[in-house]
mmCIF file of all heavy atoms in Angstrom:
data_model
loop_
_atom_site.group_PDB
_atom_site.id
_atom_site.type_symbol
_atom_site.label_atom_id
_atom_site.label_comp_id
_atom_site.label_asym_id
_atom_site.label_seq_id
_atom_site.Cartn_x
_atom_site.Cartn_y
_atom_site.Cartn_z
ATOM 1 N N CYS V 40 121.570 82.491 63.080
ATOM 2 C CA CYS V 40 121.493 81.981 64.575
ATOM 3 C C CYS V 40 122.531 80.817 64.764
ATOM 4 O O CYS V 40 122.633 79.942 64.001
ATOM 5 C CB CYS V 40 120.090 81.462 64.832
ATOM 6 S SG CYS V 40 119.891 80.814 66.442
ATOM 7 N N HIS V 42 122.469 78.562 66.888
ATOM 8 C CA HIS V 42 121.835 77.336 67.333
ATOM 9 C C HIS V 42 121.642 76.374 66.159
ATOM 10 O O HIS V 42 122.162 75.226 66.151
ATOM 11 C CB HIS V 42 120.515 77.605 68.026
ATOM 12 C CG HIS V 42 119.807 76.361 68.500
ATOM 13 N ND1 HIS V 42 118.574 76.028 68.047
ATOM 14 C CD2 HIS V 42 120.206 75.302 69.286
ATOM 15 C CE1 HIS V 42 118.166 74.891 68.703
ATOM 16 N NE2 HIS V 42 119.213 74.425 69.460
ATOM 17 N N ALA V 43 120.854 76.769 65.171
ATOM 18 C CA ALA V 43 120.668 75.865 64.091
ATOM 19 C C ALA V 43 120.600 76.625 62.685
ATOM 20 O O ALA V 43 120.024 76.123 61.747
ATOM 21 C CB ALA V 43 119.465 75.042 64.277
ATOM 22 N N GLY V 44 121.074 77.876 62.672
ATOM 23 C CA GLY V 44 121.211 78.492 61.412
ATOM 24 C C GLY V 44 120.104 79.399 60.915
ATOM 25 O O GLY V 44 120.069 79.871 59.752
ATOM 26 N N ALA V 45 119.074 79.576 61.721
ATOM 27 C CA ALA V 45 117.906 80.416 61.250
ATOM 28 C C ALA V 45 118.295 81.782 60.914
ATOM 29 O O ALA V 45 119.391 82.356 61.474
ATOM 30 C CB ALA V 45 116.858 80.354 62.261
ATOM 31 N N CYS V 59 115.083 84.548 68.073
ATOM 32 C CA CYS V 59 115.133 83.716 66.872
ATOM 33 C C CYS V 59 113.798 83.031 66.540
ATOM 34 O O CYS V 59 113.106 82.621 67.427
ATOM 35 C CB CYS V 59 116.206 82.516 67.107
ATOM 36 S SG CYS V 59 116.306 81.450 65.655
ATOM 37 N N TYR V 61 113.024 80.337 65.064
ATOM 38 C CA TYR V 61 112.953 78.864 65.063
ATOM 39 C C TYR V 61 112.626 78.265 66.475
ATOM 40 O O TYR V 61 111.593 77.743 66.683
ATOM 41 C CB TYR V 61 114.256 78.183 64.474
ATOM 42 C CG TYR V 61 114.245 78.180 62.959
ATOM 43 C CD1 TYR V 61 113.419 78.985 62.185
ATOM 44 C CD2 TYR V 61 115.215 77.308 62.328
ATOM 45 C CE1 TYR V 61 113.568 78.977 60.812
ATOM 46 C CE2 TYR V 61 115.286 77.347 60.991
ATOM 47 C CZ TYR V 61 114.471 78.090 60.208
ATOM 48 O OH TYR V 61 114.564 78.120 58.878
ATOM 49 N N HIS V 62 113.616 78.487 67.340
ATOM 50 C CA HIS V 62 113.466 77.820 68.656
ATOM 51 C C HIS V 62 113.525 78.781 69.881
ATOM 52 O O HIS V 62 113.748 78.388 70.955
ATOM 53 C CB HIS V 62 114.541 76.725 68.846
ATOM 54 C CG HIS V 62 114.750 75.794 67.713
ATOM 55 N ND1 HIS V 62 115.747 75.932 66.752
ATOM 56 C CD2 HIS V 62 113.982 74.808 67.243
ATOM 57 C CE1 HIS V 62 115.615 74.955 65.824
ATOM 58 N NE2 HIS V 62 114.556 74.342 66.079
ATOM 59 N N ARG V 63 113.382 80.128 69.478
ATOM 60 C CA ARG V 63 113.202 81.197 70.405
ATOM 61 C C ARG V 63 114.435 81.437 71.237
ATOM 62 O O ARG V 63 114.343 82.007 72.448
ATOM 63 C CB ARG V 63 111.977 80.916 71.338
ATOM 64 C CG ARG V 63 110.724 80.499 70.736
ATOM 65 C CD ARG V 63 110.162 81.789 69.943
ATOM 66 N NE ARG V 63 108.728 81.549 69.578
ATOM 67 C CZ ARG V 63 108.391 81.161 68.328
ATOM 68 N NH1 ARG V 63 109.256 81.003 67.425
ATOM 69 N NH2 ARG V 63 107.054 81.011 67.939
ATOM 70 N N HIS V 64 115.719 81.120 70.882
ATOM 71 C CA HIS V 64 116.807 81.537 71.591
ATOM 72 C C HIS V 64 116.850 83.065 71.519
ATOM 73 O O HIS V 64 116.369 83.696 70.577
ATOM 74 C CB HIS V 64 118.105 81.063 70.872
ATOM 75 C CG HIS V 64 118.507 79.628 71.331
ATOM 76 N ND1 HIS V 64 119.738 79.167 71.381
ATOM 77 C CD2 HIS V 64 117.717 78.547 71.806
ATOM 78 C CE1 HIS V 64 119.732 77.966 71.839
ATOM 79 N NE2 HIS V 64 118.527 77.513 72.045
HETATM 80 S S1 FES T 1 117.829 78.156 65.109
HETATM 81 FE FE1 FES T 1 117.745 79.861 66.326
HETATM 82 S S2 FES T 1 117.178 78.968 68.165
HETATM 83 FE FE2 FES T 1 117.279 77.349 66.947
#
Side-chain angles (χ1 to χ4, degrees):
C40 180
H42 179 236
C59 179
Y61 278 18
H62 313 102
R63 311 290 195 260
H64 277 207

